[in-house]
Amino acid sequence: MSLARLAARSALAAVFGLLLSPRSAAADVPAAPRSEIALATIPSADPAAVKPAPKPAAKPEKPKPGESAGKASQHWYEKLKIRGYSQLRYNQLGVTNERLVNTQGDRSIGKDGGFLIRRARLILQGDVHERVFVYIQPDFASVVSDQYHVPTLRDWYADIALDAKKEFRFRVGQSKVPYGFENMQSSQNRAPFDRSDALNSAVKDERDLGIFFYWAPERIRKRFKALVDDGLKGSGDYGVVALGVYNGQTANQKERNDTPHVVGRVTWPFQIGKQIVEIGAGGYAGKFVVKTADDVTAPDEIRDIRAHASFVLYPQPIGLQAEYNIGRGPELVGDRVVERPLHGGYVMAMAKIGSFVPYVRGVLYDGGRKFETNAPHYKVRELEMGLEWQPIPAVEATAAYTIAERTYPEPPYPQESGRLVRLQIQVNY
């Protein structure tokens, strides 16, 4: 082998040895004194006068469309979160009348009730843009005819904010109709087992398809949120002012005329010392198409109009909640559905004592049930005394004793009265 090739190979070996060595070549060379380095490289006589050259600043990355500057890049689907809750009930203790039923609320009340999954909710929500919030909620425990635990759509909407603080926003899709306080309150937060017939008979399942406008100052939006987060049984943020148009035939039902319902609501949670009092009022108007049996006649559409007022003293520790509504709507008279007056409401006293919430609620309603076939007249009187216990955030247990009188849902629509004990386990996740 030639001397040149041997020298080249030795040089390459030396280079690779330096690259692969855990220490740099400079580490094997004795360091010269700092003063000698400074004098050799700096023309100035004073080494302290020379400062090291600043490193060039890193060029900031450009935010992608829809992202804020300074925030890490994130896909819209990475901003979504999943939560939900489920309720298991048993209503067969101490039953005195098996014909006392509640078709608007809990279908396991009455004969052969057994255990029931009352609600099984799974919620997907998140901000897919700085100005756009989406909310999707199916329920896997709805009752359709004789089939139980049927998946149905509850909510599917988007909030489109008009400003950076999201004080002004439009909600488009299927969502709750802003009517009343209890209707807005989630069943996950409500103490009583079911909503009152008086307010819930206005909008069955509380929801419909439409467009709603909400306005609330930023500080009040935070207060709405705190009333829920602190376990004070708040309704959530449905604006201080709410206006909207919606189909009017209730959720998951086809619209049956060309006349949409219109709704408006105003509410304000006042801070009075350590207490919070919320006062609200509102109403809706439209025309409803009633489903009828063969032997019953009805106009093509009937005026459907209501107004309500609400008062809430949040439990700190004693609370009071009351609502009342009046109006006119469809009702069966003889063999014909006509427009008739209606009225009803409830009053509830409650307290928050640590992890316990005892409550007493009285309900009355006198009027038509528009969403049932033939819109029969209903007369409801109910007193419920209950206790909710939340030992850990993920679990709530509720027991209640109910005394009620209700109209039976089949002709000739007799009145039935009775008493029963009700039990529920709720799991939050």
Side-chain angles (χ1 to χ4, degrees):
M1 184 180 293
S2 67
L3 291 175
R5 182 176 296 179
L6 188 59
R9 181 174 294 181
S10 300
L12 287 172
V15 170
F16 276 104
L18 288 173
L19 292 175
L20 297 175
S21 173
R23 301 193 313 168
S24 66
D28 295 325
V29 180
R34 294 185 64 184
S35 59
E36 293 180 13
I37 296 174
L39 291 173
T41 56
I42 303 171
S44 170
D46 183 8
V50 179
K51 295 181 181 179
K55 293 182 180 179
K59 190 175 181 182
E61 291 186 11
K62 260 187 179 180
K64 294 180 180 179
E67 292 180 351
S68 294
K71 291 185 178 179
S73 174
Q74 197 177 19
H75 296 292
W76 65 268
Y77 50 82
E78 297 175 316
K79 303 175 184 179
L80 299 177
K81 67 177 182 179
I82 297 176
R83 63 180 182 88
Y85 67 100
S86 58
Q87 296 173 341
L88 178 68
R89 290 188 183 174
Y90 189 73
N91 296 303
Q92 297 302 305
L93 296 176
V95 176
T96 63
N97 182 359
E98 292 183 337
R99 286 176 58 84
L100 178 68
V101 298
N102 183 0
T103 56
Q104 181 175 319
D106 193 327
R107 300 293 184 92
S108 65
I109 295 176
K111 185 178 180 181
D112 302 328
F115 289 100
L116 174 74
I117 298 177
R118 178 67 175 93
R119 292 178 176 88
R121 303 289 174 86
L122 193 62
I123 301 164
L124 181 68
Q125 67 178 68
D127 292 289
V128 297
H129 184 273
E130 291 177 345
R131 300 283 182 90
V132 181
F133 169 82
V134 296
Y135 187 97
I136 301 167
Q137 179 181 209
D139 184 11
F140 295 89
S142 296
V143 179
V144 178
S145 186
D146 293 330
Q147 182 69 44
Y148 280 51
H149 308 150
V150 177
T152 57
L153 179 66
R154 291 293 170 173
D155 299 278
W156 192 300
Y157 65 80
D159 277 356
I160 303 172
L162 304 183
D163 63 306
K165 292 183 178 180
K166 301 181 182 180
E167 295 182 338
F168 299 85
R169 67 192 194 277
F170 281 96
R171 179 166 294 179
V172 296
Q174 180 164 295
S175 66
K176 287 185 177 180
V177 176
Y179 182 80
F181 176 88
E182 191 183 55
N183 276 10
M184 301 294 96
Q185 188 182 37
S186 171
S187 297
Q188 186 177 16
N189 300 327
R190 188 182 63 252
F193 283 75
D194 298 301
R195 292 181 174 89
S196 68
D197 296 72
L199 274 293
N200 200 233
S201 59
V203 187
K204 182 178 177 291
D205 296 325
E206 309 85 53
R207 296 161 172 86
D208 211 326
L209 187 59
I211 300 176
F212 305 95
F213 169 78
Y214 293 106
W215 170 77
E218 184 179 25
R219 64 186 180 90
I220 300 301
R221 294 197 69 197
K222 291 179 179 177
R223 185 173 297 171
F224 282 138
K225 185 177 185 302
L227 290 169
V228 174
D229 294 345
D230 295 344
L232 297 179
K233 307 300 182 184
S235 66
D237 181 5
Y238 291 89
V240 167
V241 175
L243 301 169
V245 292
Y246 60 101
N247 282 343
Q249 291 295 134
T250 70
N252 302 319
Q253 298 290 325
K254 177 185 176 182
E255 174 66 322
R256 297 178 180 273
N257 59 18
D258 296 327
T259 308
H261 278 54
V262 295
V263 64
R265 176 176 180 254
V266 178
T267 190
W268 190 277
F270 296 90
Q271 180 89 41
I272 305 174
K274 293 183 178 180
Q275 296 286 350
I276 297 179
V277 174
E278 184 171 343
I279 299 174
Y284 72 81
K287 293 185 177 180
F288 193 84
V289 179
V290 178
K291 298 176 184 178
T292 58
D294 294 338
D295 57 343
V296 173
T297 60
D300 292 339
E301 54 186 22
I302 298 178
R303 189 169 63 149
D304 177 27
I305 182 170
R306 291 199 191 194
H308 84 278
S310 60
F311 172 89
V312 180
L313 170 64
Y314 287 95
Q316 299 186 96
I318 305 298
L320 181 66
Q321 187 174 315
E323 290 191 87
Y324 205 83
N325 72 165
I326 58 173
R328 298 183 67 86
E331 183 182 316
L332 179 65
V333 178
D335 61 355
R336 183 173 174 80
V337 178
V338 298
E339 181 187 313
R340 295 277 294 168
L342 56 88
H343 68 95
Y346 69 89
V347 176
M348 179 172 66
M350 55 183 167
K352 182 171 174 55
I353 307 168
S355 58
F356 293 92
V357 178
Y359 68 90
V360 179
R361 185 184 70 171
V363 178
L364 67 86
Y365 178 63
D366 200 338
R369 194 76 67 91
K370 64 183 179 183
F371 46 79
E372 287 191 14
T373 300
N374 299 336
H377 176 267
Y378 261 64
K379 187 175 182 180
V380 178
R381 302 289 185 272
E382 183 177 81
L383 178 66
E384 183 171 288
M385 298 163 283
L387 176 66
E388 177 192 285
W389 177 43
Q390 188 173 16
I392 58 175
V395 176
E396 296 176 22
T398 306
Y401 185 68
T402 301
I403 305 169
E405 176 190 345
R406 292 178 172 275
T407 302
Y408 193 72
E410 295 178 5
Y413 307 110
Q415 291 295 114
E416 301 287 347
S417 61
R419 300 180 297 278
L420 69 152
V421 175
R422 310 184 68 187
L423 303 173
Q424 174 181 283
I425 294 291
Q426 177 174 300
V427 180
N428 307 312
Y429 42 87

